[in-house]
Amino acid sequence: MATIVVVEDQPDNLKLLTTLLTIKGHRVIGLANGDRLTEVMTADHPELVLLDIQMPGRDGYELLAERKTIPARSWKVVALTAHALPEDRARASAAGFDGYITKPIDVRSFPAEVARYLGG
């Protein structure tokens, strides 16, 4: 299975996402903020990063821009957000996110969404 980094500032959401992904056999690295994201991406070579857009301090857009400075790898970065309007999706796409998952997540469909981003 895949290594997935989840950056989510809400502890309950982070726990839920981690649990759902772990049940599916993924290795999950949970981060409460993006302070260590570049370090983790460089050291652990995840296939997927689920990145909360709205966080205190540096938001998901800033963290995505920093990710672009890391030497090319094959990971995808998917926005994780409660902002679900069409213009929010368009902004995320324009910023370079590979996908978009809205919160609250649907626990039934979330594993399949993640599988699609992983290419399977």
Side-chain angles (χ1 to χ4, degrees):
M1 294 269 97
T3 297
I4 301 172
V5 176
V6 179
V7 183
E8 168 61 63
D9 64 320
Q10 297 296 318
D12 290 341
N13 288 344
L14 182 57
K15 183 176 180 179
L16 175 62
L17 296 167
T18 300
T19 299
L20 291 172
L21 295 169
T22 302
I23 286 171
K24 290 296 184 181
H26 299 294
R27 176 176 173 246
V28 180
I29 301 167
L31 301 173
N33 59 53
D35 292 348
R36 295 185 45 245
L37 182 58
T38 299
E39 171 191 333
V40 167
M41 290 177 75
T42 303
D44 292 285
H45 311 294
E47 288 86 351
L48 181 65
V49 177
L50 299 177
L51 182 55
D52 187 8
I53 288 180
Q54 189 174 2
M55 294 184 291
R58 294 179 299 163
D59 67 14
Y61 292 106
E62 291 175 69
L63 293 169
L64 179 64
E66 290 172 13
R67 167 213 163 237
K68 293 177 182 177
T69 66
I70 301 170
R73 299 263 184 226
S74 60
W75 59 66
K76 292 183 180 176
V77 181
V78 174
L80 191 60
T81 182
H83 300 274
L85 297 175
E87 56 266 26
D88 296 320
R89 285 183 183 270
R91 180 178 178 211
S93 178
F97 281 96
D98 298 301
Y100 197 88
I101 296 175
T102 57
K103 297 188 290 187
I105 63 159
D106 180 339
V107 297
R108 296 173 307 248
S109 63
F110 177 72
E113 283 184 274
V114 169
R116 276 197 311 278
Y117 290 118
L118 290 170

PDB file of all heavy atoms in Angstrom, residues 5 29-31 33-42 44 58 63:
ATOM      1  N   VAL A   5       0.703  11.267   3.579  1.00  0.00           N
ATOM      2  CA  VAL A   5       0.859  12.302   4.598  1.00  0.00           C
ATOM      3  C   VAL A   5      -0.459  13.055   4.687  1.00  0.00           C
ATOM      4  O   VAL A   5      -1.017  13.472   3.666  1.00  0.00           O
ATOM      5  CB  VAL A   5       2.001  13.283   4.251  1.00  0.00           C
ATOM      6  CG1 VAL A   5       2.071  14.400   5.281  1.00  0.00           C
ATOM      7  CG2 VAL A   5       3.331  12.546   4.166  1.00  0.00           C
ATOM      8  N   ILE A  29       1.276   9.251   7.822  1.00  0.00           N
ATOM      9  CA  ILE A  29       2.051  10.183   8.634  1.00  0.00           C
ATOM     10  C   ILE A  29       1.149  11.389   8.858  1.00  0.00           C
ATOM     11  O   ILE A  29       0.815  12.099   7.904  1.00  0.00           O
ATOM     12  CB  ILE A  29       3.357  10.597   7.935  1.00  0.00           C
ATOM     13  CG1 ILE A  29       4.205   9.358   7.650  1.00  0.00           C
ATOM     14  CG2 ILE A  29       4.120  11.618   8.787  1.00  0.00           C
ATOM     15  CD1 ILE A  29       5.361   9.601   6.707  1.00  0.00           C
ATOM     16  N   GLY A  30       0.712  11.587  10.088  1.00  0.00           N
ATOM     17  CA  GLY A  30      -0.183  12.689  10.412  1.00  0.00           C
ATOM     18  C   GLY A  30       0.584  13.877  10.950  1.00  0.00           C
ATOM     19  O   GLY A  30       1.426  13.724  11.826  1.00  0.00           O
ATOM     20  N   LEU A  31       0.283  15.052  10.406  1.00  0.00           N
ATOM     21  CA  LEU A  31       0.901  16.290  10.861  1.00  0.00           C
ATOM     22  C   LEU A  31      -0.192  17.289  11.226  1.00  0.00           C
ATOM     23  O   LEU A  31      -1.128  17.493  10.446  1.00  0.00           O
ATOM     24  CB  LEU A  31       1.783  16.891   9.762  1.00  0.00           C
ATOM     25  CG  LEU A  31       2.931  16.029   9.229  1.00  0.00           C
ATOM     26  CD1 LEU A  31       3.588  16.716   8.039  1.00  0.00           C
ATOM     27  CD2 LEU A  31       3.945  15.754  10.331  1.00  0.00           C
ATOM     28  N   ASN A  33       0.248  20.449  11.520  1.00  0.00           N
ATOM     29  CA  ASN A  33       0.500  21.662  10.751  1.00  0.00           C
ATOM     30  C   ASN A  33       1.582  21.330   9.721  1.00  0.00           C
ATOM     31  O   ASN A  33       2.089  20.222   9.690  1.00  0.00           O
ATOM     32  CB  ASN A  33       0.912  22.835  11.652  1.00  0.00           C
ATOM     33  CG  ASN A  33       2.159  22.525  12.449  1.00  0.00           C
ATOM     34  OD1 ASN A  33       3.184  22.131  11.902  1.00  0.00           O
ATOM     35  ND2 ASN A  33       2.075  22.698  13.768  1.00  0.00           N
ATOM     36  N   GLY A  34       1.934  22.311   8.923  1.00  0.00           N
ATOM     37  CA  GLY A  34       2.880  22.039   7.847  1.00  0.00           C
ATOM     38  C   GLY A  34       4.332  22.300   8.168  1.00  0.00           C
ATOM     39  O   GLY A  34       5.179  22.262   7.264  1.00  0.00           O
ATOM     40  N   ASP A  35       4.652  22.534   9.436  1.00  0.00           N
ATOM     41  CA  ASP A  35       6.028  22.886   9.797  1.00  0.00           C
ATOM     42  C   ASP A  35       7.056  21.852   9.340  1.00  0.00           C
ATOM     43  O   ASP A  35       8.165  22.212   8.973  1.00  0.00           O
ATOM     44  CB  ASP A  35       6.156  23.112  11.304  1.00  0.00           C
ATOM     45  CG  ASP A  35       5.421  24.353  11.777  1.00  0.00           C
ATOM     46  OD1 ASP A  35       4.996  25.168  10.917  1.00  0.00           O
ATOM     47  OD2 ASP A  35       5.251  24.511  12.998  1.00  0.00           O
ATOM     48  N   ARG A  36       6.709  20.576   9.382  1.00  0.00           N
ATOM     49  CA  ARG A  36       7.657  19.516   9.028  1.00  0.00           C
ATOM     50  C   ARG A  36       7.350  18.869   7.681  1.00  0.00           C
ATOM     51  O   ARG A  36       7.934  17.851   7.322  1.00  0.00           O
ATOM     52  CB  ARG A  36       7.657  18.439  10.121  1.00  0.00           C
ATOM     53  CG  ARG A  36       8.174  18.914  11.457  1.00  0.00           C
ATOM     54  CD  ARG A  36       8.267  17.790  12.503  1.00  0.00           C
ATOM     55  NE  ARG A  36       8.849  16.575  11.976  1.00  0.00           N
ATOM     56  CZ  ARG A  36       8.183  15.398  11.856  1.00  0.00           C
ATOM     57  NH1 ARG A  36       6.947  15.285  12.236  1.00  0.00           N
ATOM     58  NH2 ARG A  36       8.784  14.329  11.363  1.00  0.00           N
ATOM     59  N   LEU A  37       6.442  19.459   6.915  1.00  0.00           N
ATOM     60  CA  LEU A  37       5.989  18.816   5.683  1.00  0.00           C
ATOM     61  C   LEU A  37       7.122  18.567   4.692  1.00  0.00           C
ATOM     62  O   LEU A  37       7.258  17.461   4.175  1.00  0.00           O
ATOM     63  CB  LEU A  37       4.877  19.642   5.026  1.00  0.00           C
ATOM     64  CG  LEU A  37       4.295  19.044   3.748  1.00  0.00           C
ATOM     65  CD1 LEU A  37       3.738  17.652   3.994  1.00  0.00           C
ATOM     66  CD2 LEU A  37       3.226  19.967   3.179  1.00  0.00           C
ATOM     67  N   THR A  38       7.934  19.562   4.432  1.00  0.00           N
ATOM     68  CA  THR A  38       9.030  19.379   3.476  1.00  0.00           C
ATOM     69  C   THR A  38       9.984  18.296   3.949  1.00  0.00           C
ATOM     70  O   THR A  38      10.403  17.432   3.166  1.00  0.00           O
ATOM     71  CB  THR A  38       9.776  20.710   3.251  1.00  0.00           C
ATOM     72  OG1 THR A  38       8.851  21.651   2.716  1.00  0.00           O
ATOM     73  CG2 THR A  38      10.936  20.534   2.284  1.00  0.00           C
ATOM     74  N   GLU A  39      10.305  18.305   5.224  1.00  0.00           N
ATOM     75  CA  GLU A  39      11.194  17.286   5.800  1.00  0.00           C
ATOM     76  C   GLU A  39      10.610  15.885   5.628  1.00  0.00           C
ATOM     77  O   GLU A  39      11.291  14.952   5.193  1.00  0.00           O
ATOM     78  CB  GLU A  39      11.403  17.597   7.286  1.00  0.00           C
ATOM     79  CG  GLU A  39      12.120  16.531   8.071  1.00  0.00           C
ATOM     80  CD  GLU A  39      12.056  16.796   9.577  1.00  0.00           C
ATOM     81  OE1 GLU A  39      11.930  17.962   9.989  1.00  0.00           O
ATOM     82  OE2 GLU A  39      12.127  15.815  10.332  1.00  0.00           O
ATOM     83  N   VAL A  40       9.326  15.723   5.950  1.00  0.00           N
ATOM     84  CA  VAL A  40       8.670  14.417   5.852  1.00  0.00           C
ATOM     85  C   VAL A  40       8.591  13.969   4.387  1.00  0.00           C
ATOM     86  O   VAL A  40       8.860  12.813   4.069  1.00  0.00           O
ATOM     87  CB  VAL A  40       7.264  14.466   6.501  1.00  0.00           C
ATOM     88  CG1 VAL A  40       6.447  13.239   6.151  1.00  0.00           C
ATOM     89  CG2 VAL A  40       7.401  14.607   8.009  1.00  0.00           C
ATOM     90  N   MET A  41       8.262  14.885   3.497  1.00  0.00           N
ATOM     91  CA  MET A  41       8.162  14.513   2.082  1.00  0.00           C
ATOM     92  C   MET A  41       9.508  14.087   1.526  1.00  0.00           C
ATOM     93  O   MET A  41       9.587  13.154   0.729  1.00  0.00           O
ATOM     94  CB  MET A  41       7.577  15.670   1.283  1.00  0.00           C
ATOM     95  CG  MET A  41       6.110  15.908   1.598  1.00  0.00           C
ATOM     96  SD  MET A  41       5.427  17.321   0.733  1.00  0.00           S
ATOM     97  CE  MET A  41       5.255  16.641  -0.906  1.00  0.00           C
ATOM     98  N   THR A  42      10.560  14.743   1.950  1.00  0.00           N
ATOM     99  CA  THR A  42      11.893  14.407   1.480  1.00  0.00           C
ATOM    100  C   THR A  42      12.379  13.079   2.054  1.00  0.00           C
ATOM    101  O   THR A  42      12.976  12.265   1.347  1.00  0.00           O
ATOM    102  CB  THR A  42      12.882  15.538   1.838  1.00  0.00           C
ATOM    103  OG1 THR A  42      12.392  16.757   1.268  1.00  0.00           O
ATOM    104  CG2 THR A  42      14.268  15.261   1.307  1.00  0.00           C
ATOM    105  N   ASP A  44      10.402  10.568   3.652  1.00  0.00           N
ATOM    106  CA  ASP A  44       9.505   9.415   3.599  1.00  0.00           C
ATOM    107  C   ASP A  44       8.932   9.120   2.215  1.00  0.00           C
ATOM    108  O   ASP A  44       8.294   8.098   2.024  1.00  0.00           O
ATOM    109  CB  ASP A  44       8.364   9.599   4.602  1.00  0.00           C
ATOM    110  CG  ASP A  44       8.867   9.543   6.029  1.00  0.00           C
ATOM    111  OD1 ASP A  44       9.166   8.429   6.495  1.00  0.00           O
ATOM    112  OD2 ASP A  44       9.003  10.607   6.665  1.00  0.00           O
ATOM    113  N   ARG A  58       0.654  29.157   8.235  1.00  0.00           N
ATOM    114  CA  ARG A  58       0.742  28.921   6.794  1.00  0.00           C
ATOM    115  C   ARG A  58      -0.415  28.038   6.342  1.00  0.00           C
ATOM    116  O   ARG A  58      -0.616  26.955   6.870  1.00  0.00           O
ATOM    117  CB  ARG A  58       2.072  28.266   6.446  1.00  0.00           C
ATOM    118  CG  ARG A  58       3.249  29.202   6.720  1.00  0.00           C
ATOM    119  CD  ARG A  58       4.562  28.575   6.405  1.00  0.00           C
ATOM    120  NE  ARG A  58       4.736  27.388   7.253  1.00  0.00           N
ATOM    121  CZ  ARG A  58       5.604  26.428   7.023  1.00  0.00           C
ATOM    122  NH1 ARG A  58       6.389  26.491   5.983  1.00  0.00           N
ATOM    123  NH2 ARG A  58       5.714  25.398   7.835  1.00  0.00           N
ATOM    124  N   LEU A  63       1.840  26.135   1.730  1.00  0.00           N
ATOM    125  CA  LEU A  63       2.560  24.869   1.849  1.00  0.00           C
ATOM    126  C   LEU A  63       2.727  24.191   0.491  1.00  0.00           C
ATOM    127  O   LEU A  63       3.764  23.598   0.213  1.00  0.00           O
ATOM    128  CB  LEU A  63       1.844  23.943   2.833  1.00  0.00           C
ATOM    129  CG  LEU A  63       1.853  24.425   4.280  1.00  0.00           C
ATOM    130  CD1 LEU A  63       0.901  23.581   5.126  1.00  0.00           C
ATOM    131  CD2 LEU A  63       3.257  24.381   4.852  1.00  0.00           C
TER     132      LEU A  63
END
